[in-house]
Amino acid sequence: MHDSIIDNLDQYTADQLANYIRQGVVTLEELRKEGLDVNIRHEIEDLLENNPDEEDWQHACDLNTIEAYQDYLDKYPEGEHRSDARHKLQSLQAAQTTQKKEEDDGEVYSRIDKNDIKALEEFIKNNPKNKYRFEARKLINRLATRNRLSGVELIQRIIQQFDPDEISEKIEELISSQEASEDDLIKVFQNDHNILPADVVCELDRVLDFRALPNIGIDDAFIAQLEEIASFSRPEEKERKLKSPLSDIDYEKIPPLKSIPDGFTEIYFWGVPASGKTCAVGSIMSTMTNGRGVKSVMPFTDSQGSSYMMPLASSFREDKVCILPPRTKVEETFEMRYQITDDDNKEHGLAFIDLSGELFECMHLSRAQGKENLTPKQQKALTVLEDILVNNRSKNPKIHFFVIEYGSENNRYKGLSQNELLLSCLNYLDDKSILKDNTIGAYLIITKADKAGDADIGKYIDKHYSGFYSGLTQRMTKWGINTRKGRSQVKRFPFSIGDVCFQKWCLYDSEWTQYIIEEIKTRSYGMETGFIGKFKSVARK
């Protein structure tokens, strides 16, 4: 081609020669030496300077189509961007082929009955390379499971497998497809009134008649709450109705606890997350505040946790549906002080300390890998604990309640059972000599004891928590605490806050709480009233 151009130079236009130069077939200098006409040379120079190759390439890139890149290659088979153009052309052609196959796959799959196992199996057999064969296999497994499970079991499976914000929609789909029924859903609630939170139950109003729930033992007061919330049109109204007063507290403004003032009996509540510990603390303070078990009660508003204390102490009343308090966060430990007057007119200064449940993980990890390897929040939580019970430990008498949730022996918290966390806590308390000095009582509170029915709580503890209970008893005996005839008696208090429903609400019953209050009054220091008593009380404040 090169020689033909040189030999027949006068037969080519400026455009043709410029293209050959761009393609590298010939150079402008070679053409000039062969006697190229000056005017044609100037025209070629202008064409090369304008560089239509570059302009056409940019145009092809802007269009980004198979046709555009093919046009560029046809025009510039040896063009500057020919390699990129071929690559983009091949990519688009491959994508087009894939898309066409997907469309064909989808067309074939769309004709299959998705509720027919045999049809799905036949589809997989006849279309071994179809993109949707894996989805068909999942459907077969799902249908086989549905055929094997009852409607109740299918609903329970959804509750176990999906996030709370997806559950109501999934249950509706199940009932709409007639794989489960409203009666199945009612049976689920009959088996467990707390299987779903109140906000999710409210969203089921399209497939569940709330008026049927009293027939399975759910109190009318809870039904009234559901109906009221379901009637709200705005989400913020529902949220406000379901929110605990403790949710409005600005926890960032609560100073970290450093020490406990002298002159009080310190009462510590230990419990793993979700053990019911905070409910136990709140019910004790609420019952006293409501005048049950004491003649009078006065809160100390300068308590470190005063902003937490007041709404917690008003959480439980027997004349209304109560909203359960939320779980405390990892770094939150609250000190709440009261002065109560008992039936003998003795005044008791009490400092309730609600310890965060996540402290159990902190204590476990601290012993396993060192405090320096904890997260900043975990270190902060452990520092508060060590400040009040080790570094700045008062000489006040101390009572320790260890809270255990009935029926949760198989639950895991970050891979650890409740029993394992309790044993780790006991060893940590040993390491720091926390129980040894000034302790005047140690007890177990077994929450949700109403679930036990006629079962023996003592036998339950011996079966599932014997290591912790015997370890605590041995330490109390060794240090002469709670002793009777030379052996410590670690009393076990069955406890319930009453009828709890939908994980959020309860009809409070103070009966269980009053036994604990009586023990606190018996164990704590009581100061006589009158002139001397008032003088000592002022001094304590």
Side-chain angles (χ1 to χ4, degrees):
M1 189 66 185
H2 175 275
D3 293 342
S4 176
I5 295 172
I6 297 298
D7 294 340
N8 302 284
L9 196 57
D10 57 345
Q11 296 181 15
Y12 293 94
T13 65
D15 281 334
Q16 290 173 323
L17 292 173
N19 281 333
Y20 287 132
I21 291 171
R22 292 192 194 98
Q23 295 168 18
V25 177
V26 69
T27 66
L28 183 59
E29 181 61 21
E30 287 177 318
L31 298 179
R32 187 185 64 76
K33 289 180 178 179
E34 293 298 326
L36 180 66
D37 182 81
V38 173
N39 292 328
I40 294 178
R41 178 165 60 84
H42 289 322
E43 190 175 346
I44 291 172
E45 287 173 345
D46 289 341
L47 289 170
L48 292 175
E49 185 177 347
N50 292 332
N51 197 2
D53 180 324
E54 187 65 32
E55 292 179 4
D56 289 345
W57 169 246
Q58 289 300 326
H59 181 64
C61 290
D62 291 340
L63 295 176
N64 196 36
T65 62
I66 290 175
E67 294 76 12
Y69 291 124
Q70 188 60 61
D71 287 346
Y72 173 84
L73 288 171
D74 290 343
K75 189 172 183 180
Y76 306 101
E78 299 297 330
E80 182 179 348
H81 300 284
R82 61 187 181 278
S83 178
D84 289 338
R86 291 191 189 105
H87 176 72
K88 288 181 177 291
L89 181 62
Q90 291 168 359
S91 296
L92 287 174
Q93 288 171 335
Q96 186 181 63
T97 301
T98 301
Q99 182 180 356
K100 180 66 167 59
K101 184 179 184 310
E102 288 182 357
E103 290 173 355
D104 293 343
D105 285 354
E107 175 63 26
V108 174
Y109 186 58
S110 68
R111 296 196 295 267
I112 304 301
D113 184 351
K114 307 301 188 299
N115 292 308
D116 187 335
I117 291 179
K118 289 184 177 179
L120 290 165
E121 289 175 338
E122 194 70 19
F123 165 77
I124 293 173
K125 179 180 177 181
N126 295 334
N127 301 274
K129 295 185 178 180
N130 190 291
K131 174 186 177 182
Y132 296 94
R133 65 190 185 278
F134 302 113
E135 182 178 323
R137 176 58 62 193
K138 287 183 180 179
L139 273 178
I140 290 172
N141 293 334
R142 183 180 174 188
L143 289 170
T145 299
R146 288 183 175 179
N147 291 341
R148 188 170 64 251
L149 299 178
S150 67
V152 170
E153 291 170 324
L154 289 172
I155 293 172
Q156 290 171 333
R157 198 181 187 92
I158 285 175
I159 294 170
Q160 292 167 357
Q161 293 181 346
F162 289 92
D163 292 332
D165 57 351
E166 300 177 280
I167 288 175
S168 61
E169 180 182 349
K170 295 296 181 183
I171 291 177
E172 282 189 20
E173 291 175 1
L174 205 62
I175 294 176
S176 298
S177 64
Q178 298 185 344
E179 295 171 75
S181 66
E182 181 184 8
D183 287 342
D184 292 326
L185 183 56
I186 291 171
K187 287 177 183 176
V188 170
F189 288 121
Q190 185 175 12
N191 295 335
D192 184 355
H193 295 178
N194 288 289
I195 195 168
L196 284 175
D199 53 332
V200 175
V201 179
C202 290
E203 293 172 357
L204 291 169
D205 59 336
R206 290 186 292 271
V207 293
L208 175 64
D209 185 352
F210 296 150
R211 293 172 298 178
L213 296 179
N215 298 329
I216 58 171
I218 296 179
D219 196 280
D220 287 336
F222 298 130
I223 310 304
Q225 295 289 311
L226 288 176
E227 291 175 337
E228 180 182 2
I229 293 171
S231 70
F232 294 148
S233 57
R234 292 183 298 175
E236 56 269 24
E237 290 179 306
K238 297 181 179 181
E239 183 180 349
R240 185 166 55 250
K241 182 68 176 179
L242 288 164
K243 190 168 64 172
S244 163
L246 282 93
S247 302
D248 294 326
I249 297 173
D250 187 351
Y251 292 100
E252 296 295 327
K253 293 183 178 180
I254 299 178
L257 184 59
K258 297 290 186 181
S259 61
I260 311 296
D262 292 335
F264 292 85
T265 299
E266 299 171 18
I267 306 172
Y268 291 87
F269 290 83
W270 307 80
V272 303
S275 63
K277 168 186 58 64
T278 298
C279 284
V281 179
S283 69
I284 293 169
M285 295 195 306
S286 293
T287 299
M288 293 192 309
T289 300
N290 294 331
R292 303 292 294 273
V294 298
K295 291 185 71 173
S296 66
V297 59
M298 180 185 73
F300 286 81
T301 56
D302 62 343
S303 299
Q304 171 263 354
S306 61
S307 60
Y308 177 80
M309 171 175 66
M310 305 311 285
L312 182 61
S314 61
S315 293
F316 297 98
R317 288 174 51 182
E318 295 183 295
D319 59 348
K320 66 173 186 175
V321 173
C322 306
I323 299 177
L324 299 181
R327 197 171 86 183
T328 52
K329 298 179 181 178
V330 62
E331 71 275 21
E332 292 167 355
T333 288
F334 303 109
E335 172 256 11
M336 300 160 284
R337 285 177 281 120
Y338 286 88
Q339 178 177 287
I340 66 168
T341 303
D342 63 21
D343 293 333
D344 296 325
N345 290 318
K346 288 186 177 180
E347 294 177 343
H348 302 251
L350 306 177
F352 294 95
I353 296 94
D354 183 10
L355 299 162
S356 169
E358 282 77 3
L359 266 173
F360 278 76
E361 183 193 15
C362 301
M363 291 184 284
H364 174 79
L365 293 176
S366 176
R367 297 190 79 245
Q369 59 192 38
K371 184 177 178 180
E372 66 277 5
N373 292 311
L374 302 181
T375 66
K377 285 187 176 182
Q378 289 172 334
Q379 290 186 21
K380 178 182 176 182
L382 214 52
T383 296
V384 169
L385 176 64
E386 292 176 356
D387 277 347
I388 60 177
L389 282 171
V390 181
N391 303 327
N392 305 323
R393 185 184 180 93
S394 73
K395 294 183 179 180
N396 291 333
K398 296 169 177 60
I399 297 173
H400 297 275
F401 286 101
F402 293 90
V403 181
I404 295 176
E405 179 190 4
Y406 182 86
S408 67
E409 58 275 3
N410 295 322
N411 294 352
R412 313 292 290 184
Y413 178 75
K414 305 247 179 115
L416 296 168
S417 68
Q418 185 170 216
N419 186 51
E420 289 168 331
L421 288 169
L422 285 164
L423 287 170
S424 187
C425 168
L426 194 56
N427 289 325
Y428 179 88
L429 300 182
D430 271 352
D431 294 343
K432 303 294 182 181
S433 299
I434 287 175
L435 294 177
K436 183 177 179 180
D437 298 322
N438 311 118
T439 297
I440 60 172
Y443 306 91
L444 300 190
I445 295 177
I446 298 88
T447 59
K448 303 181 183 179
D450 50 325
K451 290 184 177 180
D454 296 330
D456 188 310
I457 291 294
K459 290 181 179 179
Y460 172 80
I461 293 296
D462 292 341
K463 179 179 179 180
H464 298 290
Y465 301 98
S466 60
F468 172 73
Y469 182 70
S470 61
L472 182 60
T473 300
Q474 288 168 10
R475 287 160 176 79
M476 297 300 99
T477 300
K478 178 181 176 181
W479 298 320
I481 303 166
N482 290 16
T483 55
R484 181 181 297 174
K485 296 182 180 180
R487 178 172 172 77
S488 177
Q489 301 292 319
V490 177
K491 191 178 289 186
R492 296 170 284 203
F493 285 99
F495 176 80
S496 170
I497 54 175
D499 185 7
V500 176
C501 197
F502 305 134
Q503 302 179 18
K504 194 79 175 179
W505 299 318
C506 84
L507 291 173
Y508 181 54
D509 181 358
S510 66
E511 179 183 357
W512 308 75
T513 305
Q514 291 185 59
Y515 293 110
I516 300 175
I517 293 175
E518 288 302 315
E519 188 68 23
I520 290 174
K521 290 190 298 183
T522 300
R523 281 284 173 181
S524 63
Y525 175 71
M527 181 183 296
E528 66 271 20
T529 55
F531 176 77
I532 296 176
K534 289 181 179 179
F535 177 78
K536 291 180 179 178
S537 178
V538 171
R540 184 172 72 241
K541 297 177 191 176

